[in-house]
Amino acid sequence: MATIKDVAKLAGVGIGTASRVINKSGYISEETKKKVLEAIEKLGYIPNETARAFVTQDNKIVALFLPSIHHAFFSELAYYIEDELDKKGYQMMLCNSSGQIEKELQYIRMLKQNKVSGIIGISYNQIQNEITYSMPIVFVDRHIGEIPFVSSDNYGGGKMALQVLKETGCQHVAYIGTYSKTVVTEVEKRKQGFEDAAKQYGINHTIYIEEDPIKDQTAFLNKFLTKFKDLDGIFVENDNMALELVQMALEKNIKIPEELSIIGFDGIQTGKVLRPKLSTIRQPVERMGRSLVELLMKRINGVLVTPAIHPVEFLKGETTR
Amino acid sequence: MATIKDVAKLAGVGIGTASRVINKSGYISEETKKKVLEAIEKLGYIPNETARAFVTQDNKIVALFLPSIHHAFFSELAYYIEDELDKKGYQMMLCNSSGQIEKELQYIRMLKQNKVSGIIGISYNQIQNEITYSMPIVFVDRHIGEIPFVSSDNYGGGKMALQVLKETGCQHVAYIGTYSKTVVTEVEKRKQGFEDAAKQYGINHTIYIEEDPIKDQTAFLNKFLTKFKDLDGIFVENDNMALELVQMALEKNIKIPEELSIIGFDGIQTGKVLRPKLSTIRQPVERMGRSLVELLMKRINGVLVTPAIHPVEFLKGETTR
DNA sequence: ATGAAAGCGCTAACAA
DNA sequence: TTGTTAGCGCTTTCAT
């Protein structure tokens, strides 16, 4: 492989000059520029990115860690993050943490090792002690100290779900979801918004939650369905769970949405092929992904930022009246 | 940040010695080892990976490029690839090529720039001229010269689909899928296997294909359904398309599987929530992912390898009798 | 506008 | 077994 030295020699210029034209930095006469460019062309020279990263202490790679890419919402988010990162000239490193704190810490370590320039993380672990505000880190749906984060308006989404249920005539509603003993997640605000709105409107409501992660979702939902039989509206924490609940209710011959309305959260588009189509609160995944990258870029450049909370919207499907 | 120099100084040893204990290479006495380890501990020293990569010309990062991570089959595959890579001490860089050849070439360039140690690619572009056998590259479902690749037994899967259809009494079957004018994909063997088996058994069969990528899948399928009304068994190139076809047929009041059997290919588990459950030929995604990494590791170490073709299995759902 | 030279932090070859 | 040293390829002062 040709190096910058070869280029300089062939062009008959100094190594610094060659560097300058390669990086379009500083002053160079048109003439020398041309000579260098020709040499580059002739040698098929390609800068060694590793050497560059070494010198500049920045390798233009951002790490994304999330529980598992094999999950519709995350993979859609990852798609937009990568797209936006690419536009900014960065590559994306992907890590399925599977919830293991050790894998997450490994990536945080990479920050110190200069192996990544920044991190976008989706984590439900207790890692607050390992990170500081000075590190270029941005979280999704999680508020840790001053670390910036991006989320959708979970609280508003919860309220919205309640409102839809109420407006379509539901009398006794429920929230199904999870909670965490150890960390505070933005996701729990879905429940909060739902509950607050129910109280405000004086609507009968049941809260059915279990600690995250749920080992057996089917059993969890089944128990719910047999225990609460007089409900006519349910808001479920996420689409995956809502989807299973819908099928389960259908199998028990409960008419949806006539007897029971169900609203999910996320808006993952299993759309076309799913009957009945799920009514859900859609998160603006693309906006969130791009916004995540924008905040991170600012952090990498040492700029202060505040959290970005994006509005959600109700997507009417066939599981609400 | 503390450097290896600081460690050496504090431990009162040479820089090379420090390096040796850090890398567990060469001989070191227990005593000096202890001193160095203590210094490392005291300074909170973490090796600069970028400097290491620069020196060793290997940064332990593998790039995966695929059309889009936002696709069930790819995201599952990516999940296993990352998992296996992690076990081997590598990180995974992810690139959504969106089919753009330029983005793919960019990653191939990174190989020369030492920015990635190897590539796992899913590509339908004409990039054969940009790669050579000496590069550590492994493809999925694509045969380019001597470049190693991993795929499932597409041909066998096609045969299998025909057999299932035949055994459940179908008389006039069809294959729906795509083809490419420019590249030869392993995927097309699904059709081949299906067709060959149909001929062999003397079964009436129709082939309905359009050039990839299909712009409007809905229109494509709709046209098919209105054109061919006397079919009783269909094998569709992939689950996504099969799933849409099922819904479409159902909407036209065609009874599935009584009047029409449909078999997909992939085995993406939209499982739990999808009714009717799709009968499909399941690719061993996990095995494929891990096998991809194994082949690539060998290539990185300069070892010769041959393609790996993994067996598929029929997963009976509710769309076949 | 340009060239020379000093590192960046580390590994590996060599000498001791 | 250990210390010294020569680079790896590049960017960036600092003179000129």
Side-chain angles (χ1 to χ4, degrees):
Chain A
M1 285 264 42
T3 71
I4 196 172
K5 229 170 171 171
D6 303 321
V7 172
K9 199 192 295 176
L10 182 60
V13 303
I15 193 175
T17 307
S19 174
R20 255 165 259 138
V21 2
I22 290 164
N23 294 292
K24 309 185 204 321
S25 69
Y27 301 93
I28 350 105
S29 72
E30 273 308 311
E31 196 184 0
T32 30
K33 183 174 171 181
K34 210 182 118 215
K35 282 192 294 182
V36 174
L37 257 17
E38 275 173 13
I40 288 175
E41 174 72 19
K42 198 171 301 178
L43 293 168
Y45 169 76
I46 296 182
N48 181 327
E49 285 300 320
T50 301
R52 263 192 182 160
F54 173 51
V55 172
T56 60
Q57 305 284 350
D58 177 18
N59 62 7
K60 304 278 181 191
I61 298 177
V62 165
L64 167 65
F65 62 69
L66 34 70
S68 164
I69 187 68
H70 183 204
H71 179 294
F73 181 75
F74 294 147
S75 75
E76 188 178 351
L77 187 65
Y79 175 84
Y80 291 113
I81 290 175
E82 193 275 334
D83 189 67
E84 190 66 24
L85 243 18
D86 178 65
K87 284 186 189 163
K88 310 258 197 260
Y90 279 73
Q91 270 81 51
M92 182 179 86
M93 195 176 263
L94 181 71
C95 165
N96 296 106
S97 68
S98 310
Q100 299 165 59
I101 188 167
E102 190 35 61
K103 272 196 91 174
E104 293 173 1
L105 296 181
Q106 183 194 337
Y107 278 74
I108 291 171
R109 215 172 302 129
M110 283 186 207
L111 220 43
K112 301 178 187 155
Q113 294 174 151
N114 274 317
K115 193 153 186 178
V116 297
S117 309
I119 291 179
I120 295 177
I122 303 180
S123 164
Y124 308 124
N125 282 122
Q126 299 216 54
I127 51 179
Q128 49 273 174
N129 297 325
E130 308 296 332
I131 56 183
T132 67
Y133 183 61
S134 67
M135 297 175 178
I137 300 185
V138 179
F139 279 105
V140 180
D141 275 348
R142 175 104 180 265
H143 202 145
I144 299 182
E146 296 300 306
I147 309 290
F149 72 93
V150 168
S151 79
S152 62
D153 183 6
N154 289 295
Y155 186 83
K159 282 185 87 152
M160 199 180 274
L162 187 280
Q163 263 155 357
V164 170
L165 257 20
K166 168 179 167 276
E167 280 162 18
T168 54
C170 295
Q171 313 271 3
H172 190 340
V173 302
Y175 172 84
I176 301 184
T178 61
Y179 68 91
S180 166
K181 272 186 192 162
T182 53
V183 302
V184 182
T185 292
E186 286 294 303
V187 170
E188 289 176 34
K189 295 195 175 159
R190 293 172 196 171
K191 181 192 94 185
Q192 211 53 54
F194 185 78
E195 211 173 357
D196 286 357
K199 281 179 189 159
Q200 182 189 326
Y201 291 126
I203 292 184
N204 232 310
H205 59 285
T206 302
I207 302 292
Y208 182 72
I209 52 179
E210 186 164 304
E211 193 179 352
D212 187 67
I214 292 180
K215 307 115 256 166
D216 185 347
Q217 180 171 297
T218 306
F220 172 70
L221 294 177
N222 220 281
K223 194 172 144 204
F224 172 85
L225 238 30
T226 48
K227 192 165 170 189
F228 303 98
K229 291 190 178 299
D230 55 337
L231 299 171
D232 53 8
I234 303 176
F235 172 44
V236 189
E237 188 186 272
N238 62 64
D239 283 355
N240 266 339
M241 209 186 277
L243 250 15
E244 183 166 5
L245 184 69
V246 168
Q247 291 306 334
M248 213 175 259
L250 249 24
E251 273 160 25
K252 290 190 194 297
N253 291 313
I254 298 173
K255 302 241 179 316
I256 293 178
E258 296 79 3
E259 300 169 11
L260 178 66
S261 289
I262 294 182
I263 298 181
F265 198 104
D266 274 351
I268 52 180
Q269 309 284 31
T270 323
K272 246 179 207 164
V273 298
L274 244 170
R275 290 302 121 79
K277 197 158 161 254
L278 184 70
S279 290
T280 191
I281 307 290
R282 163 96 182 151
Q283 300 199 63
V285 195
E286 177 167 0
R287 279 184 64 180
M288 291 170 71
R290 301 200 189 281
S291 149
L292 241 5
V293 172
E294 248 131 51
L295 291 198
L296 184 63
M297 290 297 119
K298 287 187 182 158
R299 293 298 299 125
I300 287 177
N301 296 317
V303 179
L304 299 180
V305 300
T306 50
I309 296 179
H310 300 283
V312 295
E313 61 176 336
F314 175 65
L315 234 62
K316 188 168 178 356
E318 300 156 354
T319 61
T320 48
R321 278 167 282 177
Chain B
M1 284 263 43
T3 71
I4 196 171
K5 232 171 171 171
D6 303 320
V7 172
K9 198 192 295 175
L10 182 60
V13 303
I15 192 175
T17 307
S19 174
R20 256 166 258 137
V21 359
I22 290 164
N23 295 292
K24 307 184 206 320
S25 70
Y27 300 94
I28 350 104
S29 73
E30 272 309 310
E31 198 185 1
T32 31
K33 184 174 171 181
K34 212 183 114 211
K35 282 192 294 182
V36 174
L37 257 18
E38 276 173 12
I40 288 175
E41 174 71 19
K42 199 172 300 179
L43 293 168
Y45 169 76
I46 296 181
N48 182 326
E49 285 300 321
T50 302
R52 263 191 183 160
F54 173 51
V55 172
T56 60
Q57 306 281 2
D58 177 17
N59 62 8
K60 303 279 181 189
I61 298 176
V62 165
L64 168 65
F65 63 70
L66 34 70
S68 165
I69 187 66
H70 183 204
H71 179 295
F73 181 75
F74 294 147
S75 75
E76 188 177 352
L77 187 64
Y79 175 85
Y80 290 113
I81 290 175
E82 193 274 334
D83 188 68
E84 191 66 24
L85 243 18
D86 178 65
K87 284 186 189 164
K88 310 257 196 260
Y90 279 72
Q91 270 82 51
M92 181 179 87
M93 196 176 259
L94 181 72
C95 165
N96 296 107
S97 68
S98 310
Q100 297 165 59
I101 188 167
E102 190 35 62
K103 273 196 89 174
E104 294 173 0
L105 296 182
Q106 182 193 338
Y107 278 75
I108 291 170
R109 216 172 299 128
M110 283 187 208
L111 219 44
K112 301 178 187 154
Q113 294 173 151
N114 275 317
K115 193 152 187 180
V116 298
S117 309
I119 291 180
I120 296 177
I122 303 180
S123 164
Y124 307 123
N125 283 121
Q126 299 216 55
I127 52 179
Q128 50 272 174
N129 296 327
E130 307 297 331
I131 56 183
T132 67
Y133 183 60
S134 67
M135 296 175 179
I137 301 186
V138 178
F139 279 105
V140 179
D141 275 348
R142 176 107 179 263
H143 202 146
I144 299 182
E146 295 299 305
I147 308 290
F149 72 94
V150 168
S151 78
S152 61
D153 182 6
N154 289 294
Y155 186 82
K159 281 186 86 152
M160 198 179 274
L162 188 280
Q163 262 155 357
V164 169
L165 256 21
K166 167 179 167 277
E167 280 162 19
T168 55
C170 294
Q171 315 271 3
H172 190 340
V173 302
Y175 172 84
I176 300 184
T178 61
Y179 69 91
S180 166
K181 272 186 193 163
T182 53
V183 303
V184 182
T185 292
E186 285 295 303
V187 170
E188 287 174 36
K189 295 194 175 158
R190 294 173 194 170
K191 181 191 93 184
Q192 210 53 53
F194 185 80
E195 212 173 358
D196 286 358
K199 280 178 189 158
Q200 183 189 325
Y201 292 125
I203 292 183
N204 233 310
H205 60 283
T206 302
I207 302 293
Y208 183 71
I209 51 178
E210 186 162 305
E211 192 179 353
D212 187 67
I214 292 180
K215 306 114 258 163
D216 186 346
Q217 180 171 296
T218 306
F220 172 69
L221 295 177
N222 221 279
K223 193 171 145 207
F224 172 84
L225 238 29
T226 48
K227 191 164 171 190
F228 302 98
K229 294 192 177 297
D230 54 337
L231 298 170
D232 53 8
I234 303 175
F235 172 43
V236 189
E237 187 185 273
N238 62 64
D239 283 354
N240 265 339
M241 210 187 276
L243 250 15
E244 182 165 6
L245 184 68
V246 168
Q247 292 305 336
M248 211 175 258
L250 248 24
E251 273 160 25
K252 289 189 195 300
N253 290 314
I254 298 174
K255 301 243 178 313
I256 293 179
E258 296 78 4
E259 300 169 13
L260 179 65
S261 290
I262 294 182
I263 298 181
F265 199 104
D266 274 352
I268 52 179
Q269 308 285 32
T270 323
K272 246 178 204 163
V273 298
L274 244 170
R275 291 303 119 83
K277 195 158 163 255
L278 184 69
S279 290
T280 190
I281 306 289
R282 163 97 183 151
Q283 300 200 63
V285 194
E286 177 169 359
R287 280 184 65 179
M288 290 169 74
R290 301 200 189 280
S291 150
L292 242 4
V293 173
E294 248 130 52
L295 290 198
L296 184 63
M297 291 297 119
K298 287 186 182 159
R299 293 298 300 124
I300 288 177
N301 296 316
V303 179
L304 298 181
V305 299
T306 51
I309 296 178
H310 300 283
V312 295
E313 61 176 333
F314 175 64
L315 234 61
K316 187 169 178 352
E318 300 157 354
T319 60
T320 48
R321 279 165 281 174

